[in-house]
Amino acid sequence: MTRENKQSEVDELSAAVEEHTAASAKLSTEIKDLSDAIASIKEKQASYTSFRNEEKAKNQEAIADAKVAQAAVEKATQVLKDFYGGSAAAASLLQGGAGLAQEMAQAQNAPYGGQSAAAGGIMGFMEVILSDFARLQTETEMAEAMAQSDYEKFMDESTTDAEVKGVDMDHKER
């Protein structure tokens, strides 16, 4: 009877050992998977950070170029206005007038579309070019702000995910 009781205890303990061994193996696999997931998240963050830094540099360069170009066009426009300001040639060169303001308003809404029958002369072209550079600057700044916002959101979410996986991994290791 004692032998049977002891054998029963041995069988129960052996079953418990096998059960815990299986649980340990399962936890080891889960820990490895979590570790791999954390490494993957860190790799994605590094890759995205590298891409974001390159994109930011390009956007900053485009913005700086647009600002320089705007200043150059404004200076060129002022030189033309100063040079032709009071002469009779000014009228033929500038070809401005009441329609120029309307053309400029239209040019701010759409990029330069080539020569047209209602062209505003050299000054009109200069204003269109100026508005195109201003639009380029504004659009690039907006794109940069959105890209930075997306980057920060991604980094926050992935960092939180990695931290949650790290805590889960620590619990499973214990």
Side-chain angles (χ1 to χ4, degrees):
M1 179 100 144
T2 304
R3 187 180 317 169
E4 287 178 16
N5 287 340
K6 296 296 180 183
Q7 185 61 39
S8 174
E9 284 181 36
V10 168
D11 291 342
E12 287 177 19
L13 290 174
S14 294
V17 167
E18 288 176 15
E19 180 182 333
H20 291 299
T21 302
S24 176
K26 180 182 176 188
L27 287 173
S28 294
T29 302
E30 290 175 356
I31 289 169
K32 182 184 179 310
D33 291 344
L34 287 170
S35 178
D36 291 346
I38 291 171
S40 174
I41 289 170
K42 297 297 182 185
E43 184 179 310
K44 287 178 185 177
Q45 283 181 327
S47 174
Y48 196 4
T49 299
S50 174
F51 171 75
R52 180 68 193 111
N53 289 338
E54 290 173 12
E55 181 183 37
K56 185 175 185 175
K58 287 178 184 177
N59 285 340
Q60 287 175 339
E61 183 179 347
I63 290 169
D65 288 348
K67 287 179 180 180
V68 169
Q70 286 179 71
V73 170
E74 287 173 349
K75 186 173 181 178
T77 302
Q78 188 59 45
V79 167
L80 287 172
K81 284 181 181 179
D82 290 346
F83 186 75
Y84 291 104
S87 69
S92 65
L93 173 71
L94 299 179
Q95 300 172 2
L100 184 60
Q102 182 183 5
E103 291 175 21
M104 286 313 303
Q106 181 183 0
Q108 289 176 349
N109 294 328
Y112 174 65
Q115 294 182 353
S116 66
I122 293 173
M123 294 307 289
F125 290 138
M126 297 295 279
E127 294 295 327
V128 169
I129 292 168
L130 182 62
S131 69
D132 285 347
F133 282 126
R135 187 179 320 102
L136 173 66
Q137 177 186 348
T138 303
E139 290 173 355
T140 305
E141 287 171 346
M142 288 175 26
E144 173 63 24
M146 288 179 59
Q148 183 65 28
S149 174
D150 290 346
Y151 170 75
E152 289 171 358
K153 181 180 176 184
F154 170 78
M155 292 302 284
D156 289 343
E157 290 174 354
S158 60
T159 299
T160 300
D161 188 29
E163 289 172 355
V164 167
K165 288 181 184 333
V167 168
D168 192 24
M169 189 171 78
D170 287 343
H171 288 201
K172 290 182 182 204
E173 286 175 345
R174 288 185 188 147

